Amino acid sequence: MSIDFNLFMNDVVRQARQEIVAAGYQELKSAEEVDEALAQKGTTLVMVNSVCGCAGGIARPAAAHALHYDKRPNHLVTVFAGQDKEATERARSYFTGFPPSSPSFALLKDGKICEMIERHDIEGFGPMDVVQKLQNAFEKHCDEL
């Protein structure tokens, strides 16, 4: 019995997309959608999604659970590294001073980066550790909703 790797990966990608969208994040698939989303006033959390094994499996649950907090971003968006390349590249152009990293989180205020949680801040940590990092960023930069 052989496994069709492409079929398997498509299923993994579909599941990773669904997980983050179900948490309330808007998927951005083009550079134009990224520009529109990041032009919005207020705070925006960008989750750079990834199928990368352990780090992605930590980041997605953290992205969902971090939102159970009094202060949180006005807007939640996601791009998918390795899948929606144009959107991911454009989003990363807003993360000045930070190298490409996936999965990762960028918190922007009025389109300007104010916090970045990179892969090295996720990999090797538990989901609740990452939730704490996100909520610390929310506490500093977001208003109560």
Side-chain angles (χ1 to χ4, degrees):
M1 178 176 179
S2 67
I3 296 175
D4 182 337
F5 183 73
N6 289 329
L7 188 59
F8 172 76
M9 284 309 296
N10 287 340
D11 192 46
V12 170
V13 168
R14 183 179 46 72
Q15 185 176 348
R17 284 184 190 278
Q18 288 174 345
E19 192 174 339
I20 201 70
V21 169
Y25 290 73
Q26 175 191 357
E27 243 185 336
L28 307 176
K29 293 188 175 189
S30 71
E32 293 78 20
E33 289 177 340
V34 169
D35 288 339
E36 277 181 35
L38 298 185
Q40 298 177 97
K41 292 290 182 197
T43 51
T44 302
L45 182 63
V46 181
M47 194 274 184
V48 180
N49 203 348
S50 169
V51 291
C52 145
C54 58
I58 294 165
R60 284 186 297 279
H65 292 292
L67 304 178
H68 302 286
Y69 194 66
D70 291 341
K71 292 183 178 185
R72 57 187 178 272
N74 304 107
H75 314 284
L76 304 168
V77 299
T78 183
V79 295
F80 207 118
Q83 300 297 313
D84 302 321
K85 293 176 183 172
E86 177 189 322
T88 302
E89 185 177 319
R90 182 60 60 90
R92 286 177 171 157
S93 75
Y94 287 83
F95 311 158
T96 52
F98 295 94
S101 178
S102 60
S104 62
F105 297 92
L107 184 62
L108 294 93
K109 188 164 191 165
D110 299 331
K112 304 283 186 234
I113 187 84
C114 48
E115 293 277 340
M116 189 81 192
I117 298 171
E118 299 173 86
R119 180 188 174 108
H120 67 83
D121 299 312
I122 298 168
E123 192 171 40
F125 293 91
M128 292 313 294
D129 297 318
V130 179
V131 165
Q132 188 64 55
K133 292 173 186 186
L134 287 165
Q135 290 178 344
N136 287 343
F138 299 169
E139 186 65 34
K140 283 195 273 186
H141 304 285
C142 300
D143 297 323
E144 285 192 36
L145 295 180

